[in-house]
Amino acid sequence: MPAKTALAVDPRLLVREQGFAGYLGEFKRKMKAGDLGSIPVVVGLVVIWAIFASLNANFLTAGNLSDISVAMVGTGMIAVGIVFVLLLGEIDLSAGSVSGVASAVFAVSNVNNGMNEWVALLLAILTGTAAGAIHGFVFARIGVPSFAVTLAGLLFWNGFMLKVLGSNGTINLDSEGIVAKLTTYYFSDVAAAYGLAVVVTAGYFLTSFFENRRREAAGVPSRPLSETIARTALLAVVVFAVAAVFNQYKGLPLAVVLFLAVLLITDFILRRTSYGRKVFALGGNVEAARRAGINVTLVRVSVFAISGTFAAIGGLFIASKIASANQGAGAGDLLMNAIAAAVIGGTSLFGGRGRTWNALLGVLVIVSIQYGLALQGIAAPIQYMITGGVLLATVIIDAVTRKTQKTAGRA
């Protein structure tokens, strides 16, 4: 009689059957294999906050934390678009200039020419979309490297912005207008922040629960209910703590709500849609993706268009923060901070790995450093040096992680 064949058992099932010891062993295995996830940036953020809190008692006050959360949104929006480009293993150096163009287009259209605010807002965003699509077309269709294309775009769109603004150079926005309220409006009722915390917690639990049911029905490994409840409880602690901080100051910032909505939507697109899978496929292996029938040119153009769109949205949030559009928009360290935010948050420079939530973690680290150093009265040059050091450390970790994963056979 033929020998019985042993049934293959998914190792994730064995881990969960072993309880806490199993999870601890799995954690150690992932660390050895270089599967770090968001752990380094979370640990780094905790350390940064602890250091600045010890140096200045005002750092962890509700007012300062609320200001940090609003200040990070403009750069964070740009970083979301950068994440899409980095997933392809490419780069977009034009995002800062495109963000400046968007603010200039809105200001000139609305303030100088009297165009309806909503129409001017849409025009500004579509300007960013068009700029990104042009970069993507030249890169994907003509074959010019993305570095060269977007570097040219950086110079061109900066000049275009100066031309649009004209000789005056600065246009003040209506303090009661749509764009101005992006960063100045707060939901003052305490029920708003706590209500959003309830929605986020319940949404996470229900999504995880039904996803596990679906996996069980398909006969593939899924998380046990106890693990889902534990994860939900941890999330609840975090989001309700954040809600409490907001309510101690002015309330829930509109900017934060919009940023979270963008992160949820873009994360869904990347992880749950065929388009998102195509983006990851191109970042993993372009030739394999092409042979699989993916329209490489279309996906590349669309990704750069998405980057331009979020650059424009970020530019409008930054204009809202300073209540004007001026010749300095999109300049300085904005581009580098946006790229650094995506990379520091965990998106790989080598393509194929990352999530839009990385933009949130990364920009939170950068803005926390900026605000912490500002409270200490440390000059901007030192801020640049420290931010650059953090970025270099992150890239080194990314490179070492990839080597470790290759050695472990996971890349």
Side-chain angles (χ1 to χ4, degrees), residues 20 29 34 44 53 63 71 101 133 139 156 159 164 250 253 255 265 307 313 320 341:
F20 178 76
R29 185 193 64 78
V101 167
F139 161 62
F156 177 85
V164 169
K250 296 180 180 179
I265 293 171
S307 180
I313 294 173
S320 172

Side-chain angles (χ1 to χ4, degrees), residues 43-405:
V43 172
L45 184 61
V46 171
V47 171
I48 290 169
W49 282 20
I51 292 174
F52 285 128
S54 66
L55 295 175
N56 195 312
N58 291 323
F59 182 79
L60 290 182
T61 59
N64 190 60
L65 293 177
S66 181
D67 289 343
I68 287 175
S69 69
V70 174
M72 73 179 186
V73 173
T75 305
M77 288 289 191
I78 299 174
V80 169
I82 295 293
V83 167
F84 275 81
V85 177
L86 290 179
L87 287 174
L88 294 182
E90 303 297 336
I91 193 68
D92 185 356
L93 300 179
S94 68
S97 295
V98 172
S99 71
V101 167
S103 64
V105 168
F106 174 83
V108 170
S109 300
N110 175 242
V111 179
N112 289 5
N113 297 328
M115 182 181 291
N116 177 272
E117 278 190 294
W118 287 104
V119 177
L121 181 70
L122 180 60
L123 177 62
I125 294 174
L126 291 179
T127 299
T129 305
I134 292 171
H135 300 153
F137 178 82
V138 175
F139 161 62
R141 194 68 178 177
I142 301 178
V144 180
S146 61
F147 178 90
V149 174
T150 56
L151 179 59
L154 181 155
L155 299 172
F156 177 85
W157 296 114
N158 186 60
F160 184 77
M161 177 192 69
L162 298 178
K163 180 67 176 178
V164 169
L165 288 172
S167 57
N168 185 33
T170 300
I171 301 175
N172 294 323
L173 302 180
D174 179 8
S175 60
E176 297 299 320
I178 297 170
V179 171
K181 287 186 176 180
L182 288 175
T183 57
T184 60
Y185 186 84
Y186 292 77
F187 298 96
S188 57
D189 192 330
V190 296
Y194 289 126
L196 180 60
V198 170
V199 170
V200 170
T201 304
Y204 175 81
F205 175 78
L206 292 175
T207 301
S208 300
F209 178 78
F210 287 112
E211 173 67 12
N212 291 335
R213 292 286 296 274
R214 185 183 66 81
R215 293 177 67 86
E216 288 175 2
V220 296
S222 62
R223 292 193 181 104
L225 182 60
S226 58
E227 183 180 340
T228 300
I229 292 175
R231 288 170 175 262
T232 303
L234 180 61
L235 175 64
V237 171
V238 174
V239 296
F240 276 94
V242 172
V245 169
F246 285 147
N247 283 334
Q248 289 177 31
Y249 189 52
K250 296 180 180 179
L252 178 63
L254 172 62
V256 172
V257 175
L258 295 176
F259 190 34
L260 291 177
V262 164
L263 292 174
L264 285 170
I265 293 171
T266 52
D267 184 66
F268 176 83
I269 290 173
L270 283 176
R271 296 176 61 226
R272 303 290 183 178
T273 66
S274 60
Y275 174 79
R277 289 189 286 273
K278 291 175 183 177
V279 172
F280 279 105
L282 262 65
N285 190 311
V286 176
E287 188 56 36
R290 181 179 285 109
R291 292 180 178 181
I294 295 176
N295 189 330
V296 174
T297 299
L298 180 61
V299 173
R300 283 175 164 174
V301 172
S302 66
V303 164
F304 277 89
I306 289 171
S307 180
T309 300
F310 281 110
I313 294 173
L316 293 171
F317 274 91
I318 294 171
S320 172
K321 187 67 178 174
I322 63 176
S324 67
N326 58 46
Q327 294 179 338
D333 60 349
L334 176 60
L335 172 63
M336 291 301 102
N337 282 343
I339 296 175
V343 176
I344 290 173
T347 302
S348 176
L349 279 170
F350 304 98
R353 190 178 78 244
R355 297 178 60 181
T356 50
W357 287 102
N358 297 149
L360 171 62
L361 291 172
V363 76
L364 190 54
V365 168
I366 290 175
V367 178
S368 294
I369 292 174
Q370 292 175 339
Y371 269 64
L373 294 176
L375 285 175
Q376 295 303 113
I378 297 176
I382 304 299
Q383 295 184 27
Y384 293 158
M385 293 168 64
I386 293 176
T387 304
V390 172
L391 175 59
L392 177 60
T394 305
V395 174
I396 291 174
I397 291 173
D398 183 29
V400 172
T401 297
R402 284 180 62 85
K403 290 181 179 179
T404 305
Q405 289 178 338

